[in-house]
Every structure is written in structure tokens, then in C-alpha cells.
Amino acid sequence: MSRITIHGGVPLRGTVRVSGSKNGSLPLLAASLLVDGEVVLHNIPHIRDIHTMIRMLRALGARAEFREDGGLVIDGSSINSVSAPYDLVRRMRGSFYVAGPLLARFGEAHVPLPGGCVIGSRPVDFHIRGFKALGAEVEEKHGAMHATAQRMRGTRIYMDPRLRSVGATVNLTMAACMAEGTTVIENASREPEVVDCQKFLTAAGAQIQGVGTTTLRITGVEQLHGLEWTAISDRMEAGTFLIAAALTRGEVTVEPVDPEHMSMVIDVLEQAGCDIRLAERSVTLSMDDRPDAVDVMTAPYPGYPTDLQPNTGVLMSIARGASVIEETIFDARFNYVDELIRMGADVRVMDGAAIFKGVPQLFGAPVVATDIRAGAALILAGLAAEGETEISGGALVDRGYEDITGKLSSLGARIATAPEADPETPDDECLV
Ligand code: UD1
């Protein structure tokens, strides 16, 4: 556990090296279980959620270790269990990603149901319906999913277009890769992290048509082969540093990133009055004034990412004028707002939306982080605030951000972490 202390008001300046994507790396680690042979993954971030997934792979009998050059070597040829430990699934919902590969390769998966989550209801019914459509016998009993299938059969899977699920798209694509015949997945997610996983699978020998579109045609193959792969950069981390620059009236460059992955975020920041310069692999933001108010609605990619909604709310809390932020993905994602109000923000949440009436200044206060993204948002609020902010539960942020305090310090932020004694502080909540 750690407590983060920030003395706000310092404009951030400099360049930040963006780490590999958390949400992109987790599917790559799980997909490596499908491969008969050695996989070497590059650009995998050193964050707690990745360490949890590595523990999961090892619990299943796979070899998974970082080499000295930073490459993560995974060898699934020694897998000797199809049962995922509850303790790991409970810590991180992304652990459910092992279900598809285990079913596809071994015809059986026993994975505890992930359960509740601080950012809202997060069922796995789309995953389970898809496994059933692929011919698996699925039993949900004693808090776990037990699925068996001699060999899964290609089928048509129609996903709810209003709730395009990142996790279900990845899990069902992995499951279909080795099914007999062709599977068509309609209304698939198109998040860059999902697309990178599809490209990884294709490079390993899978046959996937429609990569990067909402309709995937996956023709099952007998086996996938070993390969080396580099995870994409983390667009959420990049967006977090850009918003931090906007909040502190500084100038920050994030690299390496693919600016195309951030089009919607860049558009909103430009509407807020930020000056943004794009290069092939970097984005630079500078800001010398309070932001203008912008209305934002979260949506599946290429819409505005829900993972950056809390950071965007902090930016709007000091905007000139009022803005409405609508959250359409997770019903409890405004859980940072009450803490922000304690720092002087004027926000009202109702019916899946929050109205931010911009105030000229936030003020430092002791606050509590409840999940990864809420924690990051409170760090940003602390950077913009006058005086000292102390964030309890700061360790949650380490689940998704690699060395966030070190990177912010290198930009000039006055930020420090200290061990935290309070056992009440939330720790391993769900993956967000
Ligand atoms: C992933 C990301 C998370 C991001 C989210 C939305 C990872 C590890 N996590 O989470 O950071 O915020 O996408 O972009 O990549 N749903 C169902 N039934 C299901 C599955 C989902 O009803 O079986 C609903 C969810 O409750 C939610 C919506 O669909 O309202 C989208 O969820 P989903 O895209 O599946 O999120 P995750 O994959 O869990």
C-alpha cells in the first residue's frame, strides 16, 4: 500500500516515455497459452496487473519469466492445469481471459466468476454465451464457470452493438482460433488493444479475416506456433500525461504513441483550448490558460475512452463554463467525483452523467482512491490544486501505471510516495 503526496501548482514540462499498454498486454499474455512453443513479448509494462497475470500463467503450469533484455518469455507447453485460482481472478478481472485459450487448446476450463467491481456491474455473460454457441457445455456453479468441449465448432456470434465488449471479443476470438470450421463474430470491439491481439494471433498462424473491423471471420486451425511480438503503447497512459500538462498549464510530449489511437482524445483536448502538435510517433500538448468547457460522452472505440473519463472530469472541473460528461460504459465510474468535490470542484452526478461547473482553482485535501483510473484522476487533481493533496490507496494506481510518480517527477511534479499503514484502504480491486 502507498500514500501519495503532491504539492500542486507546478507546470509540467518535458518528454515522457510511454510504457506498453496494460489493456493490450493482458490479452497477449493470455493468447500465448494457445501457442504450442515459445512466445517472446516485448514492451510489456512492469505493473501489478501484469504480475498477477504472470502468476496466473504459472499457476496453470506455463513458464513465464522476464529475460534480462526485458522480453517476457512464455512457454505453454508445460501447462498441467485448466483451473484458474480464485485468488488471482478476484484480484484482476482480466484473469478471465484464460478461459478462451484453455477451452480451445485443452477442451476444458474451470475459471471462477470475477464478481463485483467498484466501477459498476461487469458480468461475463457475453463470454459464456459465446462459449456455449461454440459448442461448449458450460456449468456455472459454486461461483465458477466450468466449461468443456471435445472440440469447439465454428458458429455465428452476434454481440450487443450497444455494449461492444472488449473482453468478450478477445476471449471469443481466442476460443474460435482453434475451433472446427469458421466462426463469425458480429459487433466485435475495435479497440487498438483488441486489434493488436488479433494481429498477434494471425502472426502465430491463426486465420482471422476482418482484423480491425466489427465483423470477424475466424477459421480454426490445428495449432499456433511460437513468435516474438511487441505490445503497442499505452494510449491511456499517454492521455493521462497530456491531460496532466493541460491541467498544470505546461508542455509535455508523450512518445512513442500512435496518434491515430488517440484521435477522439486529441479532438476533445483541442476543443478545450489546448495546443496540440502531432508527429509520427509522438504527441505534444501545451496550454497556458484555463480550459474551455467541453461536453464528452464515453463510447466504445473510436469513441471517447471510459478509462480517461475521470481524468477528463478533473480537467472540466477547472474549465471556464459548465460541461456535461456522459458515462455510457460503466455505471459507477463517477466514484472519484465525491473526492474531487472535497478538493473544491462543483459537480453533480445524475442518470449516468455528471455536470461540471468549472471553478477557477482546486485545493489540496486528503482523498481516497477507489480504483486505478480514479486514483490517476486524483493525482492529476493534486497536480493542479493549490497546496498539498494526500491520496490514500495510491497503490491501486500501480496496477495500471508503470512508475507514474517517477515519470511525473521527471516532468517537474512535486510528488512522493510513502508506505501506508491503514488496512482499510482498498487494495486489489477489479481490473479497470
Ligand atoms: C476493458 C478494459 C477496461 C475498459 C473497458 C471498456 C481491459 C483489461 N480492460 O474491460 O479498461 O474500461 O474494456 O473499454 O482491457 N458487458 C456485459 N457482459 C459481458 C461483458 C461486458 O454486460 O459479458 C458490459 C460491461 O458491463 C460494460 C460493457 O459491456 O458495460 C463493456 O465492457 P467490456 O468492454 O467487456 O469491458 P472489459 O473487457 O471488462
Side-chain angles (χ1 to χ4, degrees):
M1 304 301 284
S2 63
R3 188 178 293 264
I4 300 173
T5 307
I6 302 166
H7 290 272
V10 182
L12 301 186
R13 296 194 190 284
T15 298
V16 171
R17 202 196 74 78
V18 178
S19 298
S21 162
K22 169 180 90 75
N23 289 353
S25 297
L26 290 169
L28 294 178
L29 266 69
S32 300
L33 294 176
L34 281 167
V35 171
D36 202 14
E38 203 173 84
V39 174
V40 182
L41 299 174
H42 300 282
N43 203 28
I44 302 298
H46 284 273
I47 52 175
R48 274 183 35 228
D49 278 0
I50 291 294
H51 296 157
T52 302
M53 192 57 133
I54 288 175
R55 283 168 64 197
M56 172 65 80
L57 302 189
R58 288 179 183 160
L60 299 171
R63 186 164 69 87
E65 55 207 27
F66 279 104
R67 292 193 310 212
E68 265 181 21
D69 69 355
L72 175 63
V73 184
I74 299 171
D75 188 343
S77 53
S78 51
I79 291 173
N80 53 19
S81 166
V82 292
S83 186
Y86 171 62
D87 188 45
L88 297 177
V89 178
R90 182 186 68 78
R91 279 164 199 269
M92 184 187 76
R93 298 178 55 90
S95 306
F96 202 73
Y97 274 150
V98 301
L102 288 176
L103 249 182
R105 203 162 148 215
F106 303 102
E108 191 174 358
H110 184 88
V111 185
L113 298 166
C117 176
V118 285
I119 60 166
S121 165
R122 297 180 80 181
V124 286
D125 53 328
F126 300 164
H127 304 234
I128 290 175
R129 239 188 290 148
F131 294 147
K132 285 182 181 165
L134 284 160
E137 298 266 335
V138 182
E139 203 181 35
E140 290 171 69
K141 229 179 182 179
H142 305 303
M145 177 201 76
H146 188 82
T148 50
Q150 284 256 316
R151 185 170 180 196
M152 287 188 286
R153 295 180 308 274
T155 187
R156 177 173 169 273
I157 298 172
Y158 184 84
M159 300 227 283
D160 189 332
R162 293 162 305 172
L163 287 178
R164 252 180 232 154
S165 166
V166 167
T169 301
V170 168
N171 228 341
L172 298 176
T173 302
M174 295 190 291
C177 268
M178 289 164 83
E180 199 176 317
T182 300
T183 301
V184 177
I185 302 181
E186 290 188 49
N187 300 316
S189 290
R190 295 197 289 139
E191 267 68 3
E193 298 78 18
V194 174
V195 176
D196 193 49
C197 183
Q198 293 163 355
K199 290 180 179 168
F200 166 89
L201 290 167
T202 305
Q207 288 187 20
I208 307 176
Q209 286 176 342
V211 167
T213 73
T214 54
T215 305
L216 304 171
R217 281 180 73 84
I218 305 156
T219 303
V221 295
E222 291 287 331
Q223 215 178 23
L224 299 185
H225 55 75
L227 76 163
E228 294 212 14
W229 194 257
T230 302
I232 57 172
S233 295
D234 197 310
R235 63 192 168 105
M236 304 310 169
E237 188 197 12
T240 299
F241 282 104
L242 293 179
I243 296 170
L247 275 161
T248 59
R249 302 187 194 178
E251 175 166 326
V252 169
T253 298
V254 289
E255 66 178 16
V257 288
D258 186 340
E260 234 183 78
H261 293 169
M262 304 187 65
S263 302
M264 193 70 212
V265 175
I266 288 167
D267 180 58
V268 165
L269 292 174
E270 279 180 334
Q271 285 185 59
C274 304
D275 178 36
I276 296 202
R277 296 185 297 287
L278 305 181
E280 204 180 325
R281 301 289 296 154
S282 72
V283 180
T284 301
L285 180 147
S286 57
M287 183 73 164
D288 55 12
D289 203 354
R290 272 175 77 185
D292 296 325
V294 185
D295 292 339
V296 175
M297 185 175 80
T298 63
Y301 189 84
Y304 202 84
T306 173
D307 286 351
L308 287 178
Q309 183 263 101
N311 294 346
T312 312
V314 176
L315 187 65
M316 288 305 114
S317 75
I318 58 160
R320 265 185 233 283
S323 57
V324 177
I325 298 190
E326 276 180 84
E327 173 57 57
T328 70
I329 316 265
F330 292 116
D331 44 17
R333 239 223 166 132
F334 286 120
N335 57 18
Y336 64 97
V337 161
D338 285 340
E339 299 302 289
L340 199 56
I341 290 172
R342 299 188 62 252
M343 297 178 72
D346 183 350
V347 193
R348 182 169 290 274
V349 178
M350 49 180 152
D351 297 335
I355 302 161
F356 289 79
K357 286 188 193 159
V359 294
Q361 180 71 61
L362 296 174
F363 298 96
V367 288
V368 179
T370 49
D371 66 73
I372 301 173
R373 307 299 173 187
L378 293 174
I379 290 178
L380 297 200
L383 293 170
E386 184 188 308
E388 186 180 291
T389 297
E390 206 175 67
I391 305 170
S392 306
L396 279 167
V397 182
D398 297 336
R399 288 188 44 199
Y401 288 85
E402 189 172 52
D403 189 23
I404 189 165
T405 47
K407 289 183 182 186
L408 285 169
S409 296
S410 76
L411 298 174
R414 291 171 63 202
I415 182 167
T417 50
E420 193 166 47
D422 180 6
E424 297 291 314
T425 311
D427 186 1
D428 290 315
E429 294 297 339
C430 62
L431 175 65
V432 281

